[in-house]
Amino acid sequence: MDFETVAVVILAAGKGTRMKSDLPKVLHAVNGKSMINRVVDAVIPSFFDNIIVVIGHQWERVKSEVESAFSGKVSYAIQHELNGTGDAVRSAMPELKEKMEHVLILCGDVPLIQTKTLQLFVSTHIHDRRDVSVFSVCVENPTGYGRIILNESQRFVAIREEADASLEEKTIRRVNSGIYCVKKTFLIDALELIRSDNAQNEYYLTDIVSIAQKMGAVAGSYTGDAPEECTGVNTLEELNVVENLMNLRER
C-alpha cells in the first residue's frame, strides 16, 4: 500500500518526572539508542514524507538528538504548555502537508514498535474507511492504561483513562496503546471539541473516540498480537524491562 498521504506525529514533549532524571524521558537510551530515535526509525521506512516530532520539555535537547540521526527528514512542533496529548497533537497540525489524508500518532516512549506492525495497522484503517482507529492490546496488568470501552453491542465507543475509570472498567484488560490513525479532516474537527473537564484537567486525545460516536463518524479498535511492542516507559524499572525485551529480539 502507498503511504504517501499518511503523516506521522510523534509525541515527545513530556518531562518524564517518574524517571527521576534531569534527562528528558524520550532521550533515555535502549541498548545505546534513544527511545525517540527508535520510534523515528520505525516510521522512516514507510511514512517518510511528513514526520512531525512534538517537543516541549527541554525541546532543544530533544530536537538535537533527533537531528543527529535524521537531519532534514523530520519537522518539529513545540508544545509550549504541557496540557495533554490532545493539546500536543493540536500543536502539530500546522506542520501537516496539504496532501496528507491520514495522521498516524505515536508516543516517543514506545521504543519497541516495529515498522511492519504500523504498516498493517494503517493499512487496516484505510481499508476499513475509518475516521479514527486505535491500536489496542490485551495485557495481564492494565494498571495505568486507558481502557477500551465497548457498548452492549460490542461496539467500540470510548477510551477511559485510568484516573476516570470506574472500578468495573478498571478490570478491562484490553487497553489503548497510545497509537492512533485518524483521518485528517475528522481530526481537525475533533481537536476543537476536546475539553479538559477530567481528573487531570488535560486535553485527552482519547476523547476523539467518544466525539466520533457523537458525530456519527466511524471509529474502530485494532488489536495487535504482540503487546510487548507497545510497552511504554515511564520509570527506570520499565526502561529495564524494555531493554530486556530488546535484547531478546536482537538475539
Side-chain angles (χ1 to χ4, degrees):
M1 177 174 282
D2 181 4
F3 296 111
E4 288 186 0
T5 59
V6 181
V8 177
V9 173
I10 302 173
L11 308 183
K15 293 180 179 180
T17 51
R18 290 166 61 192
M19 299 294 287
K20 299 178 182 178
S21 169
D22 183 54
L23 190 69
K25 179 169 67 169
V26 297
L27 296 191
H28 283 80
V30 176
N31 288 13
K33 182 184 289 187
S34 66
M35 290 196 285
I36 182 61
N37 280 358
R38 285 194 178 275
V39 176
V40 177
D41 253 344
V43 298
I44 280 283
S46 298
F47 311 98
F48 51 81
D49 200 44
N50 193 187
I51 300 171
I52 304 151
V53 177
V54 180
I55 49 181
H57 177 64
Q58 296 191 36
W59 66 265
E60 299 98 333
R61 293 179 72 178
V62 179
K63 181 178 179 180
S64 177
E65 169 67 12
V66 177
E67 281 295 289
S68 69
F70 305 102
S71 181
K73 298 179 181 179
V74 174
S75 56
Y76 303 88
I78 299 178
Q79 185 185 16
H80 293 284
E81 294 185 25
L82 305 183
N83 288 329
T85 49
D87 180 63
V89 173
R90 189 183 293 128
S91 71
M93 297 305 285
E95 298 298 322
L96 290 184
K97 294 181 179 179
E98 187 69 28
K99 72 172 185 176
M100 295 301 157
E101 298 176 5
H102 304 273
V103 184
L104 174 63
I105 303 167
L106 306 104
C107 296
D109 61 357
V110 185
L112 296 176
I113 195 66
Q114 297 198 75
T115 305
K116 61 184 179 181
T117 301
L118 296 175
Q119 290 171 337
L120 188 57
F121 172 54
V122 174
S123 297
T124 302
H125 165 82
I126 295 172
H127 178 269
D128 291 352
R129 298 185 178 182
R130 293 174 179 166
D131 293 292
V132 53
S133 296
V134 176
F135 194 111
S136 65
V137 292
C138 293
V139 296
E140 288 298 322
N141 179 13
T143 302
Y145 288 94
R147 309 307 203 274
I148 299 295
I149 306 298
L150 307 178
N151 65 11
E152 295 84 355
S153 305
Q154 297 301 296
R155 185 180 176 189
F156 177 39
V157 293
I159 301 170
R160 193 83 70 236
E161 294 289 2
E162 171 99 1
D164 301 295
S166 68
L167 289 175
E168 183 179 359
E169 288 169 343
K170 286 179 180 178
T171 66
I172 296 171
R173 292 176 49 240
R174 188 175 175 191
V175 300
N176 174 26
S177 72
I179 300 173
Y180 308 80
C181 196
V182 191
K183 192 173 182 180
K184 185 175 76 171
T185 51
F186 168 75
L187 183 60
I188 291 168
D189 292 337
L191 287 172
E192 294 304 312
L193 297 174
I194 295 176
R195 297 291 177 261
S196 60
D197 52 347
N198 51 64
Q200 303 296 325
N201 293 314
E202 292 185 350
Y203 295 92
Y204 292 154
L205 183 62
T206 50
D207 287 353
I208 64 175
V209 177
S210 55
I211 289 169
Q213 300 302 317
K214 293 172 184 174
M215 293 174 63
V218 181
S221 171
Y222 173 94
T223 304
D225 57 7
E228 66 276 2
E229 283 189 44
C230 300
T231 305
V233 175
N234 291 298
T235 65
L236 292 174
E237 291 77 14
E238 290 170 348
L239 182 65
N240 188 55
V241 168
V242 164
E243 283 212 312
N244 290 335
L245 289 169
M246 184 66 74
N247 284 330
L248 289 172
R249 176 190 294 177
E250 292 179 348
R251 286 194 197 126

